[in-house]
Amino acid sequence: MSRRRFVFGTAALSAAVVGDAFLLEPTAIDVSHHVVPVPGLPPGLEGVRIACVSDVHLGGGVSPAARAALAVLARERPDVVLLSGDICNERVDLPTLIVWAREARGTAAAFATLGNWEHAAGIDRATAERTYDRAGIELLYNSAGRASVRGATLSVVGIDDPVYGTPDPAEAVKEVGTNPALWVIHAPGYVDGIAPNTYPAPAAIFAGHTHGGQIRAPFWTPYTPSGSGRFVAGWYRDTFAPLYVSRGIGTITVRARLFCPPELPIFTLKAGEKPGKGR
């Protein structure tokens, strides 16, 4: 290969990578589907579908990725939507959050938790509760909510952000009772500190925060934010309950993604035994 062809080929490849990272990948939402087996699942909850929407990072308006997420939710029509933190960046974004979140609700229920960005912006619990209430969404702040579907009840436990907040699982699980339960927490690293048998294990734990690394190389994730721990993306079954870490919707610092498209995971509840570790 001549030097000219090599230089031209390298430039073309670089342009393609940059175009993918800044123009294509940030809005190419990967809709992943997962089955969550729940022992003793009531018949009314069989087949209930739950969408976990994380790290939207509304800032200065609704981004193309945030609009694309609404299109996915409208198409998938999940029963329950979980907004698992970092949905907006600053207090000035709260009116935008209300408008966006109204369209993000599930057909039966919607819940939200706070992430590190909301805490860093000084969005306190009372403000967040008022904001989400205007959007028809229940904020979970070390507390549990209930979704009623076909006469059965699903408990959703929301843990405050571990990076800048004050997580209190003991307080959060007080009102769960015997209902099947799911946990939502923004930063997944905290989960490694929860010893087995400390609390009744939920069917699954859903988290975000990591962005999956956001800018990655094949088989290499150079950076995840503080609070991620060892987690990057996908299922982890060696924690006290099965943990799923979403790559999230939005971006931070650089509005680009590389080898790490945004993700909106959909989980379907099915009666059955929990899979063992490593499965």
Side-chain angles (χ1 to χ4, degrees):
M1 180 183 294
S2 69
R3 183 175 181 278
R4 176 179 293 180
R5 287 183 177 180
F6 176 79
V7 171
F8 179 79
T10 301
L13 177 61
S14 298
V17 169
V18 170
D20 174 78
F22 283 90
L23 300 177
L24 300 179
E25 221 171 301
T27 58
I29 295 178
D30 177 15
V31 184
S32 59
H33 291 87
H34 313 267
V35 172
V36 176
V38 184
L41 186 72
L45 297 180
E46 180 77 25
V48 163
R49 301 169 73 244
I50 298 142
C52 187
V53 185
S54 185
D55 300 280
V56 180
H57 288 288
L58 295 168
V62 178
S63 68
R67 286 195 294 271
L70 291 180
V72 170
L73 292 171
R75 183 176 71 246
E76 294 284 336
R77 291 184 56 80
D79 300 284
V80 179
V81 169
L82 309 176
L83 304 180
S84 58
D86 283 8
I87 305 303
C88 72
N89 292 347
E90 303 289 346
R91 291 181 69 94
V92 296
D93 300 318
L94 291 177
T96 301
L97 184 150
I98 294 169
V99 174
W100 181 89
R102 280 175 181 158
E103 296 187 49
R105 293 176 295 181
T107 59
F111 304 96
T113 58
L114 296 182
N116 55 289
W117 276 74
E118 285 101 350
H119 274 287
I123 299 172
D124 59 89
R125 178 179 184 173
T127 299
E129 285 178 337
R130 289 194 300 269
T131 300
Y132 275 115
D133 184 65
R134 290 179 62 187
I137 293 173
E138 181 179 355
L139 177 73
L140 300 179
Y141 191 102
N142 293 324
S143 58
R146 293 175 175 83
S148 296
V149 183
R150 296 188 292 273
T153 300
L154 173 70
S155 291
V156 178
V157 174
I159 311 296
D160 191 25
D161 171 61
V163 179
Y164 292 136
T166 308
D168 189 348
E171 180 67 24
V173 301
K174 281 183 177 179
E175 303 299 325
V176 170
T178 59
N179 300 321
L182 303 170
W183 282 26
V184 186
I185 187 168
H186 182 65
Y190 182 82
V191 177
D192 258 348
I194 301 176
N197 304 316
T198 305
Y199 310 103
I205 306 169
F206 303 134
H209 183 62
T210 69
H211 291 224
Q214 189 171 311
I215 304 293
R216 300 177 59 179
F219 311 110
W220 182 46
T221 304
Y223 172 79
T224 54
S226 175
S228 301
R230 63 186 172 94
F231 305 109
V232 179
W235 281 109
Y236 296 84
R237 302 194 187 276
D238 57 352
T239 50
F240 93 104
L243 166 68
Y244 191 88
V245 181
S246 171
R247 298 190 302 270
I249 299 297
T251 56
I252 53 173
T253 307
V254 180
R255 293 208 168 193
R257 283 180 175 265
L258 185 63
F259 299 111
C260 187
E263 178 188 20
L264 202 163
I266 307 287
F267 304 90
T268 301
L269 303 185
K270 296 289 184 183
E273 295 301 315
K274 294 181 182 178
K277 292 182 180 180
R279 293 177 57 191

